[in-house]
Amino acid sequence: MESYFSAFDVAFLNPNIYPNEILPHLANYLKNPKASTDSDVNLSLALRGNVAENGKHFIFDIPLNELFIFKNTIYKRGNKRRTRYECLNMSNKKVYLFNQNVEVKLYKDL
């Protein structure tokens, strides 16, 4: 491990505790922790096993201009900004930003 980790961090980053797939993402997160683990997209996805809930899709898997449902509201997926996706709310025509790891339902799957 690199020198900026404390002894606690090194003991904590142990393959006997966490699977090898999670360790690099956890080490990266510990360098500069965010307010929420969901803010770190790679760690969040690794903790979920890179699999969305049954019947749902990650927003980054939704094709551009495809309709999806989030919290009983229909949106159209737009372009990706730096870390988030612009999505048009089809009822009020406002654009909202969605984190990359948000799970949504495809409109056509209903």
Side-chain angles (χ1 to χ4, degrees):
M1 291 284 145
E2 297 183 28
S3 62
Y4 44 80
F5 288 116
S6 69
F8 174 76
D9 292 335
V10 174
F12 183 70
L13 295 173
N14 184 324
N16 294 325
I17 299 172
Y18 292 101
N20 287 332
E21 304 83 45
I22 294 174
L23 286 175
H25 303 294
L26 190 57
N28 190 43
Y29 174 77
L30 289 173
K31 290 178 193 175
N32 185 18
K34 311 285 190 271
S36 165
T37 54
D38 260 2
S39 298
D40 186 323
V41 175
N42 294 324
L43 177 59
S44 177
L45 290 174
L47 289 171
R48 294 179 190 185
N50 293 314
V51 178
E53 247 181 64
N54 192 21
K56 292 188 176 181
H57 305 272
F58 292 115
I59 199 159
F60 59 79
D61 288 331
I62 305 294
L64 182 65
N65 296 320
E66 189 74 38
L67 296 177
F68 66 90
I69 297 176
F70 181 74
K71 294 187 178 180
N72 297 323
T73 304
I74 300 172
Y75 294 88
K76 182 190 288 189
R77 205 209 93 186
N79 292 319
K80 182 179 179 184
R81 288 191 179 180
R82 196 171 137 258
T83 60
R84 298 174 188 231
Y85 286 90
E86 296 175 348
C87 298
L88 178 67
N89 180 314
M90 299 307 288
S91 60
N92 67 14
K93 303 301 181 197
K94 291 183 181 180
V95 174
Y96 294 87
L97 298 176
F98 282 76
N99 274 336
Q100 300 174 59
N101 56 351
V102 171
E103 294 180 29
V104 299
K105 291 183 180 181
L106 275 176
Y107 184 72
K108 65 182 180 182
D109 286 351
L110 297 179

